[in-house]
Amino acid sequence: MTSSSQQRIVIVGNGMVGHHFVEQLINSQHDCHITVLSGEGRLAYDRVYLSSYFAGKTAEDLAMTTPETYQEWGVDARVNARVSDIDRTAKVVTLESGETFEYDKLVLATGSYPFVPPIPGNDQPHCLVYRTIEDLEAISASSAQSKVGVVVGGGLLGLEAANALKQAGLETHVVEFAPQLMAVQLDLMGGDQLRTKIEDLGVQVHTQKATQEIVAGEHCRYRMNFSDGSFLETDLILFSAGIRPSDQLGRSSELAMGERGGIVINNQCQTSDPDIYAIGECALWDNRIYGLVAPGYAMARAAVANLTGGEGEFAGADMSTKLKLMGVEVGSIGDAHAKTPGALVYTYHNQPDGIYKKLVVDPSKTHVIGAVLVGDTSDYDTLLQYALNEIAVPEAPESLILPSAGEAPTLGADALGDAATICSCYNVSKGDIIDAIDGGCCSVGDVKGATSASTGCGGCAALLKNVVDSELEKRGVEVSKAICEHFNYTRQELYHLIQVEGIKSFNELLEKHGTGMGCDICKPAAGSIFASVWNDYILQQQHQPLQDTNDTYLGNMQKDGTYSIVPRVAGGEITPDKLILLGEVAKQYNLYTKITGGQRIDLFGARVEQLPAIWEALVAGGFETGHAYAKALRTVKSCVGSTWCRYGVQDSVTMAIDLENRYKGLRAPHKIKFAVSGCTRECAEAQGKDIGVIATENGWNLYVCGNGGMKPRHADLFATDLDDETLVKYIDRVLMFYTKTADRLQRTSVWMENLEGGLEYLQQVVIEDSLGIGDELEAQMQLITDTYQCEWKTTIESPEALKRFRQFVNSDATDSNIQFVTERDQIRPATKAEKFSGEKAIPVEIV
Amino acid sequence: MQAQESYTPQWHDVCHEDDLVTNSGVCALIGEEQVAIFRIVNGEGTQYFAISNWDPIGEANVLYRGIVGSLGGKTVVASPLYKEHYELATGTCLERDDVSVNAYPVRVDAQRVLIEL
Ligand SMILES: Cc1cc2nc3c(=O)[nH]c(=O)nc-3n(C[C@H](O)[C@H](O)[C@H](O)COP(=O)(O)OP(=O)(O)OC[C@H]3O[C@@H](n4cnc5c(N)ncnc54)[C@H](O)[C@@H]3O)c2cc1C
């Protein structure tokens, strides 16, 4: 509803920046009528995460708003509404359809378009670009009919596009004109290192290649002829050779333009016509186009401020970036090419591990002005803070990039000034955070809510927490380490209370030490502690509602609500008869089978009501539960050892089986994995496990607190040349000490990182028994071993426990939403589309 | 099919009280609808709740298998898939404004559990 006095604001383009502008304008509660004209067939979506479309995200998932939301805000939003003309005198814009809109203020947020080099033959059907959802649909469709794909352009977006082609299963090439990859962000060495890594991943990189023409190919659809006489055949060509501002409207309405394009703006983001603003990738500020989203957001904020009489201007933006390209970490900060006169450079190059780091400092060696990081960006956040906030560097600046041999000079929150930017997505400074805390915020969550800090890319989460904790502590607020709102204790404290006071049920614990009813955080934590301390059957009536659903149903819930079944295969040793039984059971119940990394076999797709019958068959055949669903010992991986192997020096299989049988059933703060290798060739990869054992001529070397997975950690060598008995004694003590003292869901690797005194302290406690608790730890472990029972065996023998294993209390029907289709001769869950098509899906039958 | 407006909810007898599990859930099939039923026993006595069993975020019929508890005074169940919390009394999702599930009236009469749907 436009009242005649209301200011009419028209926004052309509804990309990420245009949308941010609308959001900010609504937040400002400025009295105006807003019209949004989107040139695309939909409203704003997240272009930054466009590639996740190939990983299964839908247009809906990527959407940043909906027509309903805009409607609620009173915004008149049109899609497929391309503006073709601006009449600045009449203050009217005209759509291609002829429809017109009057404005008092006009905002151009028309973004940019991909540049396609003028190569003869570039307009053929499988020559594509990478910018919109429609582009992605075209790439998907073309990939399905292609074997080879080439990306033209080895910049940031080009490499992202290459990854998409690779994931689509194409033989992938990157063709770059410059001598190196990511020439804008990286130096030659960094580009080379990145190239090596990317080539290792199977993408072929061709630098210094200028494409002359695209003609019909012999083996593939096309042939690209290069100026040096070489050629490359491909079925699909994806151009990612840079962007150009979508500035036609500026040009045709005669606004001031940059020499090489872009609509010129001032610090208020006004164009040469003060009633017209330009923001985002179509705008040229100080002769630059910013091709990142954060500067665009900053422009949107500045324009809103100016329109609504608020404060704030756009004063340039930092173009530093950190990203992961095909799993390779890459970071670039400030003056990466050391172009500042007199700039000095430190480099660290670790070729074997593929790590390259360069630090650029000013001539006086006091400030960080740039950096390049390839292969390891763990220093990025700290370096960026140094650079952005001009913090004085340590005496030896190189310590900032050298691998931490002990003390890494991490940047404490107190080293930052109040003006220091903590969150660059939402432009939140340390001062803003202090204000929020003074205004009553008392947790990271509160501060996030009040300032939006860390709600964008999330890269500053750790720093934000640091600042908040430090500020709260300064105000005498004790930072709560409570496990949740129901208990004002850490997991370690709860463990102590349960053990010392002999508490055996959750209700008792809650009555004595907690409030409320408990929740999905404290209940499983308490359940796990009860199991570690008393080792009761996990499904006893009193414990059962405490368990995580995985523990309740003794299986891992999968995305469709079915479960996986993982019987224990101690040490990875299995008889042919047992293999056959697994196969028979899988066949009978039509389960998907897969070999795991822990040397056992997963059976997927069991419905809740099938679990007891399946396990009955498995238990009858001599299998036990593998605790794959529990925070407990998972597997002990082993190599064949001295029994078969020419190199083995000890019997690693027997040791692995003994260890697995000893520790199976131990409930711990998180899952625990072991491995035993029969010689130093280390085929079982024990140094990446929580407990690793490696045979020597004289016995066993024990490694502790390693991890693979998300955050790999090389295990620490704990003790050498141990005999069998001492080995077990040390492992007993280490594991029990971990179980007693770690936080909830803390793996041994993180526990070790946080353990005051580290490895040396743990050695004192375990080897020298410095706390005098060695015997107690061993006795506790012995109790767990002695009271072990296979939970599945106990469950199938108990009619009461079996009551839980049904989908419906009042019907024998099965869950109609669980449907499978066949892929590579096995079942997999049907996708939503497949379910609704109703054709391919296999209806579930009761077996 | 009845037209939406003329549909009047009815009480359905679904199971015996002993079929429920204290401080946890079971699921009943009423027509096409899967209903998660919870019996909560705490200091304030015994309460019964029923909500849709469909987890709209995980897109699976699993809510009855979640852990129940309280958050800020509300009695909730945590989705076993991605751990969002749904208030048992109303079906609202605490983490997401735009998500909720149906909540249904429950009563227990002569040890039979009845749901209105
Ligand atoms: C694959 C990919 C990955 C990226 N990754 C990152 C990243 O990791 N980090 C980062 O910071 N940035 C990244 N970017 C860049 C980021 O997406 C852009 O900076 C951002 O989208 C710019 O927003 P914008 O609103 O200015 O332009 P756009 O998002 O391009 O929106 C402009 C809109 O205006 C419309 N339009 C144009 N002309 C008209 C007209 N005449 N009438 C009506 N509508 C019109 C267009 O159709 C378009 O919808 C990435 C981009 C891509 C393509």
Side-chain angles (χ1 to χ4, degrees):
Chain A
M1 271 122 284
T2 335
S3 61
S4 54
S5 64
Q6 244 182 347
Q7 188 180 40
R8 292 161 304 181
I9 301 179
V10 173
I11 300 133
V12 185
N14 192 235
M16 299 182 73
V17 174
H19 170 65
H20 193 72
F21 177 90
V22 174
E23 234 176 21
Q24 296 296 314
L25 191 58
I26 294 293
N27 283 346
S28 76
Q29 305 195 325
H30 182 62
D31 182 29
C32 59
H33 179 264
I34 306 174
T35 305
V36 166
L37 303 174
S38 169
E40 292 189 55
R42 47 171 65 86
L43 295 177
Y45 53 90
D46 198 338
R47 230 180 274 291
V48 170
Y49 285 99
L50 205 54
S51 300
S52 64
Y53 180 88
F54 290 113
K57 292 271 180 199
T58 61
E60 240 164 70
D61 296 329
L62 290 173
M64 302 181 78
T65 183
T66 59
E68 292 74 38
T69 309
Y70 269 17
Q71 204 169 13
E72 263 168 46
W73 290 348
V75 173
D76 178 10
R78 313 288 176 97
V79 296
N80 291 319
R82 276 196 89 74
V83 174
S84 55
D85 182 63
I86 305 174
D87 181 340
R88 286 165 48 195
T89 336
K91 292 190 143 185
V92 170
V93 296
T94 309
L95 300 190
E96 279 173 354
S97 65
E99 200 175 349
T100 57
F101 295 85
E102 293 178 17
Y103 68 82
D104 297 309
K105 300 281 177 189
L106 182 65
V107 179
L108 301 177
T110 48
S112 64
Y113 64 91
F115 169 64
V116 178
I119 301 166
N122 68 7
D123 52 354
Q124 305 184 60
H126 295 268
C127 294
L128 305 167
V129 294
Y130 195 29
R131 177 90 197 164
T132 65
I133 289 181
E134 283 69 25
D135 293 339
L136 296 194
E137 286 166 352
I139 295 168
S140 290
S142 170
S143 304
Q145 318 161 27
S146 301
K147 288 209 166 64
V148 183
V150 169
V151 175
V152 177
L156 199 154
L157 286 185
L159 294 178
E160 209 174 297
N163 192 28
L165 293 188
K166 174 115 203 311
Q167 280 172 355
L170 301 195
E171 175 191 321
T172 306
H173 300 258
V174 172
V175 170
E176 166 63 51
F177 180 68
Q180 68 162 97
L181 294 176
M182 284 182 72
V184 178
Q185 294 89 357
L186 304 181
D187 61 353
L188 204 54
M189 279 291 254
D192 263 2
Q193 190 58 68
L194 178 63
R195 175 189 185 139
T196 312
K197 287 217 147 191
I198 284 181
E199 285 182 335
D200 284 349
L201 296 169
V203 172
Q204 299 174 44
V205 178
H206 314 266
T207 49
Q208 282 179 292
K209 294 279 179 208
T211 312
Q212 251 177 350
E213 56 174 0
I214 300 163
V215 296
E218 246 171 60
H219 311 290
C220 296
R221 201 171 279 136
Y222 306 128
R223 172 183 292 202
M224 303 169 72
N225 284 325
F226 302 121
S227 56
D228 61 2
S230 60
F231 66 87
L232 186 60
E233 295 232 331
T234 180
D235 299 311
L236 183 171
I237 301 175
L238 195 52
F239 288 104
S240 181
I243 54 166
R244 295 288 180 271
S246 294
D247 55 9
Q248 302 85 333
L249 290 174
R251 214 177 287 277
S252 60
S253 61
E254 294 178 344
L255 296 173
M257 303 291 292
E259 251 168 56
R260 289 163 55 220
I263 307 168
V264 174
I265 57 169
N266 62 15
N267 289 9
Q268 282 67 44
C269 298
Q270 285 161 311
T271 64
S272 53
D273 178 338
D275 288 329
I276 303 184
Y277 295 78
I279 55 178
E281 291 188 341
C282 64
L284 187 75
W285 182 88
D286 194 23
N287 227 359
R288 301 187 69 154
I289 298 277
Y290 288 94
L292 291 177
V293 71
Y297 281 2
M299 290 181 195
R301 286 192 295 268
V304 168
N306 189 257
L307 260 169
T308 57
E311 273 176 45
E313 55 173 30
F314 181 75
D318 179 58
M319 294 291 281
S320 302
T321 26
K322 172 172 80 167
L323 64 158
K324 218 175 186 172
L325 288 165
M326 306 187 211
V328 184
E329 295 182 351
V330 179
S332 165
I333 294 175
D335 184 9
H337 295 276
K339 284 192 182 139
T340 311
L344 297 167
V345 165
Y346 298 86
T347 52
Y348 166 77
H349 196 179
N350 172 346
Q351 222 173 0
D353 294 337
I355 298 171
Y356 172 75
K357 303 185 195 180
K358 170 163 106 174
L359 177 70
V360 186
V361 298
D362 70 325
S364 66
K365 289 200 294 182
T366 45
H367 295 130
V368 174
I369 58 173
V372 172
L373 303 168
V374 177
D376 172 12
T377 51
S378 52
D379 299 327
Y380 178 89
D381 292 349
T382 305
L383 291 175
L384 185 63
Q385 287 302 321
Y386 272 101
L388 290 182
N389 300 310
E390 299 191 359
I391 300 164
V393 297
E395 191 122 348
E398 66 272 26
S399 64
L400 292 173
I401 54 166
L402 289 182
S404 52
E407 244 73 328
T410 49
L411 196 54
D414 292 341
L416 301 172
D418 285 2
T421 306
I422 304 297
C423 166
S424 27
C425 292
Y426 285 92
N427 193 25
V428 182
S429 68
K430 182 174 164 191
D432 297 332
I433 291 167
I434 293 175
D435 288 348
I437 291 173
D438 289 341
C441 292
C442 359
S443 69
V444 172
D446 290 354
V447 171
K448 273 182 163 178
T451 63
S452 296
S454 194
T455 58
C457 73
C460 63
L463 187 63
L464 175 69
K465 180 165 186 327
N466 252 324
V467 172
V468 172
D469 285 356
S470 142
E471 289 303 319
L472 287 174
E473 261 163 38
K474 271 187 214 155
R475 285 164 182 69
V477 180
E478 206 180 309
V479 179
S480 168
K481 303 211 165 59
I483 182 164
C484 67
E485 67 176 62
H486 305 102
F487 292 95
N488 203 4
Y489 298 100
T490 61
R491 180 186 178 277
Q492 184 178 352
E493 288 164 339
L494 283 180
Y495 189 105
H496 188 76
L497 290 171
I498 287 172
Q499 190 174 39
V500 171
E501 299 181 15
I503 298 173
K504 293 206 165 172
S505 76
F506 186 73
N507 281 345
E508 191 183 345
L509 182 68
L510 197 62
E511 226 162 78
K512 287 191 172 155
H513 301 288
T515 59
M517 287 176 56
C519 66
D520 52 310
I521 304 219
C522 58
K523 282 179 160 182
S528 154
I529 297 173
F530 289 130
S532 311
V533 177
W534 314 119
N535 209 22
D536 286 356
Y537 168 52
I538 205 103
L539 281 195
Q540 277 191 10
Q541 279 267 298
Q542 55 177 3
H543 295 329
Q544 184 262 309
L546 300 184
Q547 306 309 332
D548 207 340
T549 166
N550 282 343
D551 274 0
T552 316
Y553 293 93
L554 304 171
N556 284 31
M557 187 187 277
Q558 306 299 321
K559 60 194 257 192
D560 59 351
T562 63
Y563 289 87
S564 67
I565 291 169
V566 190
R568 189 167 294 291
V569 178
E573 184 183 85
I574 187 164
T575 61
D577 280 341
K578 280 187 161 177
L579 269 179
I580 289 169
L581 176 62
L582 283 180
E584 280 172 352
V585 168
K587 251 181 150 166
Q588 183 183 352
Y589 292 92
N590 192 20
L591 304 172
Y592 169 82
T593 54
K594 184 160 193 322
I595 312 275
T596 73
Q599 301 188 331
R600 40 193 196 178
I601 298 171
D602 275 12
L603 313 178
F604 285 84
R607 297 191 309 279
V608 65
E609 67 272 16
Q610 294 177 315
L611 290 172
I614 293 173
W615 273 105
E616 201 166 345
L618 293 173
V619 168
F623 279 108
E624 299 182 319
T625 178
H627 292 105
Y629 45 82
K631 307 297 177 221
L633 173 73
R634 294 286 171 84
T635 62
V636 182
K637 187 175 174 179
S638 71
C639 64
V640 288
S642 55
T643 322
W644 290 91
C645 176
R646 282 174 292 148
Y647 304 106
V649 293
Q650 304 279 355
D651 181 358
S652 49
V653 178
T654 302
M655 178 53 82
I657 293 172
D658 289 350
L659 290 177
E660 186 152 347
N661 284 328
R662 178 168 182 79
Y663 299 110
K664 68 188 176 191
L666 168 69
R667 287 305 206 270
H670 211 308
K671 62 184 169 192
I672 302 173
K673 298 179 179 179
F674 279 37
V676 183
S677 279
C679 77
T680 51
R681 283 181 175 69
E682 239 286 67
C683 296
E685 297 167 330
Q687 293 165 96
K689 298 286 189 283
D690 298 278
I691 298 288
V693 177
I694 301 178
T696 68
E697 298 283 346
N698 309 315
W700 306 97
N701 284 353
L702 172 61
Y703 287 81
V704 299
C705 303
N707 194 10
M710 194 155 74
K711 196 154 182 269
R713 180 180 193 275
H714 194 288
D716 296 312
L717 179 58
F718 186 82
T720 53
D721 292 333
L722 303 174
D723 58 33
D724 290 8
E725 199 184 323
T726 317
L727 176 72
V728 169
K729 175 167 137 173
Y730 285 179
I731 298 176
D732 273 5
R733 291 180 177 192
V734 170
L735 284 185
M736 214 58 226
F737 191 56
Y738 160 66
T739 302
K740 276 175 99 97
T741 61
D743 272 346
R744 169 184 165 268
L745 299 186
Q746 192 175 43
R747 289 291 297 265
T748 58
S749 54
V750 182
W751 172 67
M752 173 62 99
E753 296 287 333
N754 287 289
L755 193 63
E756 229 168 285
L759 176 65
E760 217 171 292
Y761 174 71
L762 188 61
Q763 285 167 329
Q764 283 164 8
V765 172
V766 169
I767 301 175
E768 291 155 36
D769 198 8
S770 60
L771 300 180
I773 56 169
D775 290 345
E776 185 195 317
L777 295 175
E778 280 172 55
Q780 186 68 34
M781 188 61 85
Q782 196 58 48
L783 172 87
I784 305 260
T785 305
D786 293 344
T787 52
Y788 170 80
Q789 45 182 323
C790 168
E791 291 148 18
W792 264 113
K793 186 159 183 291
T794 316
T795 300
I796 54 184
E797 286 163 2
S798 151
E800 192 53 35
L802 286 177
K803 268 175 65 179
R804 301 276 305 158
F805 293 89
R806 54 189 172 179
Q807 179 76 12
F808 303 117
V809 270
N810 62 341
S811 162
D812 287 334
T814 55
D815 179 356
S816 60
N817 182 53
I818 298 177
Q819 294 178 29
F820 302 114
V821 297
T822 306
E823 186 173 274
R824 291 184 296 276
D825 301 330
Q826 296 208 63
I827 59 155
R828 66 155 168 81
T831 62
K832 227 172 161 177
E834 286 163 343
K835 280 181 198 169
F836 290 116
S837 82
E839 280 170 23
K840 273 161 70 187
I842 308 172
V844 261
E845 288 157 32
I846 302 178
V847 258
Chain B
M1 278 293 271
Q2 280 173 306
Q4 197 67 39
E5 308 89 66
S6 67
Y7 181 76
T8 22
Q10 293 168 7
W11 286 97
H12 301 266
D13 178 333
V14 293
C15 62
H16 192 272
E17 199 186 1
D18 289 348
D19 289 328
L20 302 184
V21 187
T22 297
N23 291 336
S24 188
V26 301
C27 180
L29 187 64
I30 305 176
E32 299 268 280
E33 179 72 7
Q34 297 194 18
V35 179
I37 310 167
F38 301 87
R39 175 168 59 200
I40 305 298
V41 181
N42 58 16
E44 292 153 32
T46 302
Q47 284 173 290
Y48 299 89
F49 297 100
I51 61 172
S52 165
N53 190 40
W54 176 250
D55 174 346
I57 295 172
E59 303 193 340
N61 287 308
V62 294
L63 288 185
Y64 81 94
R65 294 181 228 158
I67 293 182
V68 298
S70 64
L71 280 184
K74 294 177 175 150
T75 303
V76 297
V77 62
S79 157
L81 284 166
Y82 301 112
K83 317 293 175 201
E84 299 86 6
H85 297 92
Y86 295 87
E87 189 181 1
L88 292 181
T90 61
T92 32
C93 174
L94 300 194
E95 284 81 8
R96 295 253 310 252
D97 287 347
D98 56 333
V99 172
S100 65
V101 298
N102 286 335
Y104 304 104
V106 207
R107 68 188 159 86
V108 176
D109 203 355
Q111 294 201 303
R112 298 297 302 175
V113 179
L114 304 165
I115 311 277
E116 191 182 37
L117 178 87

